Amino acid sequence: QVRLQESGGDSVQAGGSLRVSCAASGISYGAYCVAWFRQGSGAEREGVASIDHYGRTDIAPSVAGRFTVSKDTGNGENTVYLQMGSLKPDDTGMYFCAARVKAGCPALSRLSLFDSWGQGTRVTVSS
């Protein structure tokens, strides 16, 4: 059973940096993909970044050059990080991680292909 728990959301000033984490259990062995999505107020949920078990990443054009995704494996759990820099007020929203226990990451637009979701962590960027 896959379980995901996000943490690290905070309120920051525009131009600042923040790292959010996703503790993922149940995907330590075998192929998987973990992705970050975000949803602003009144907006649709959008894909931000993904990483597969090989460490291959995909970053949405809207955050490319500012956000990176990485992972760390230890003690039977994977932790996936989203490092966010040069934050803008438009980056405000709930950030969710999601997992798919299959080889390879689908396109970030394919939200329905992700089977497990966390509860989200809130990021607020003020100008």
Side-chain angles (χ1 to χ4, degrees), residues 42-116:
E44 293 186 355
R45 195 168 296 190
E46 63 172 347
V48 176
S50 65
I51 187 166
D52 71 5
H53 62 289
Y54 287 121
R56 296 176 298 195
T57 63
D58 186 20
I59 306 292
S62 59
V63 301
R66 300 189 297 121
F67 290 14
T68 60
V69 60
S70 62
K71 66 183 181 72
D72 185 25
T73 301
N75 297 323
E77 281 199 356
N78 282 291
T79 301
V80 176
Y81 303 101
L82 182 68
Q83 179 70 49
M84 302 180 284
S86 301
L87 283 161
K88 307 173 183 179
D90 284 349
D91 295 318
T92 294
M94 283 293 288
Y95 282 69
F96 301 89
C97 64
R100 168 182 162 91
V101 187
K102 289 185 180 180
C105 283
L108 290 168
S109 59
R110 305 294 299 275
L111 282 72
S112 63
L113 296 181
F114 289 85
D115 309 302
S116 303

Side-chain angles (χ1 to χ4, degrees), residues 4-5 14 24 34 41-42 47 51 67 83 88-90 104 109 117 119 122:
L4 306 170
Q5 180 64 59
V34 175
S41 178
I51 187 166
F67 290 14
Q83 179 70 49
K88 307 173 183 179
D90 284 349
S109 59
W117 291 80
Q119 294 299 307
R122 181 166 296 280

